[in-house]
Amino acid sequence: MTEGGALVEASRCGDAPRPEIAAFFDESTYTVTYVVHDAATREAAVIDSVLDFDAASGRTRHASADRVVDYVTLNNLKVLWLLETHAHADHISAAPYLQQRLGGRIAIGAEIVGVQQVFGTLFNADGDFVRDGSQFDHLFTDGESFRIGGLEALALHVPGHTPADMAYVIGDAVFVGDTLFMPDYGTARADFPGGDAGQLYRSIRRLLSLPAETRLFLCHDYKAPGRDAYAWETTVAAQRKGNVHVHDGVSQEAFVAMRTARDAGLSMPALILPAVQVNMRAGHFPAPEANGVTYLKLPVNAV
């Protein structure tokens, strides 16, 4: 399906059924994980899960993921999908752990292969790291449809933050990944390898062409100055009216200039180097070495 065709189909989401949505906020990485399910069939998807990781010790924990497990179990849900909006730079995915506990297929956008090429080279990944996306159970193409019980769903390619970002339209809701933040905070950065502020602008305008009442669920919140509570749900109408970076009337040229200047002053996410090594492998850590220990690399003066 062409990008334009995908948008036409997605435009129906204003009249679509409302999925049941539970949000789990991880304050240490400012990340929101969602469990989305169809009330009639109890079939579900988990979007952007978090594995607790302490970079200082190299220790992992499953407290955040176990909150999701408990919710799914308590509500007798059947997980069909473990969806990633992109290869995150700020947290490690818990998708393999959740798959072991709950089942489901791990999926991401097909453009992940480009991300694997770039970061596979950066980390000089060993021969066992193939760069064809096969670590994931499914690679979504732009405009590809799927179902969660009685809910129609659609995968939209929304590059800019990274080349492989996806948004998932599920019923009347859209899970936008790192394209947009709350209106008072703005938009995602576009300076990672393969990122492009112009692409990000076009992806955002694509999302904001959906019906005004469409609910948008964000992957992160950092509490804009003057706001005391975390928030992660907004609407197309609210973004078009009030997003501080990309409200109606902001041109692509103005956005690119703003985003480029802003990105130049941002530091790298604290977990970007460990996170990308794992997330480009669908949440799997590199294979243990001969001593039985798994290692993550730290490239020096290379980023």
Side-chain angles (χ1 to χ4, degrees), residues 88-239:
H88 306 275
D90 41 29
H91 72 272
I92 293 174
S93 171
Y97 174 78
L98 292 176
Q99 186 176 57
Q100 182 182 41
R101 296 291 306 274
L102 301 172
R105 302 172 72 193
I106 302 173
I108 201 167
E111 296 302 318
I112 188 63
V113 297
V115 175
Q116 290 178 328
Q117 291 287 351
V118 170
F119 285 101
T121 299
L122 173 64
F123 293 111
N124 196 28
D126 295 332
D128 65 343
F129 176 60
V130 295
R131 305 176 190 189
D132 60 2
S134 59
Q135 299 87 348
F136 297 84
D137 299 313
H138 186 78
L139 301 180
F140 282 110
T141 58
D142 185 44
E144 184 177 347
S145 61
F146 60 107
R147 299 189 70 84
I148 302 169
L151 298 169
E152 293 185 9
L154 189 70
L156 300 180
H157 184 214
V158 287
H161 173 62
T162 79
D165 280 61
M166 301 297 288
Y168 298 105
V169 181
I170 304 175
D172 74 331
V174 186
F175 300 85
V176 301
D178 282 15
T179 54
L180 287 161
F181 299 137
M182 290 298 289
D184 58 0
Y185 201 88
T187 59
R189 66 194 299 166
D191 60 332
F192 294 153
D196 183 284
Q199 275 193 331
L200 179 61
Y201 178 88
R202 294 188 294 275
S203 292
I204 290 171
R205 296 314 307 181
R206 182 186 190 191
L207 292 170
L208 297 187
S209 296
L210 297 170
E213 67 274 17
T214 302
R215 298 184 293 162
L216 304 180
F217 290 86
L218 316 179
C219 188
H220 300 286
D221 186 54
Y222 304 97
K223 286 197 296 191
R227 175 157 53 86
D228 295 329
Y230 291 108
W232 44 77
E233 180 181 351
T234 180
T235 65
V236 166
Q239 293 283 8

Side-chain angles (χ1 to χ4, degrees), residues 43 51 70 81 113 141 152 177 188 192 200 203 207 221 224 230 245 251 257 268 276-277 298 300:
E43 293 184 348
L51 179 74
D70 291 345
W81 294 100
V113 297
T141 58
E152 293 185 9
F192 294 153
L200 179 61
S203 292
L207 292 170
D221 186 54
Y230 291 108
H245 293 166
S251 68
M268 287 291 102
V276 172
Q277 289 178 76
L298 182 66
V300 177

Side-chain angles (χ1 to χ4, degrees), residues 17-22 34-47 71-72 75-80 148-151 170-171 175 215:
R18 290 173 67 93
E20 299 290 328
I21 300 170
Y34 298 99
V35 179
V36 186
H37 80 268
D38 171 38
T41 64
R42 317 304 291 175
E43 293 184 348
V46 178
I47 303 174
Y71 176 84
V72 167
N75 288 278
N76 194 31
L77 304 183
K78 179 182 179 181
V79 173
L80 301 183
I148 302 169
L151 298 169
I170 304 175
F175 300 85
R215 298 184 293 162

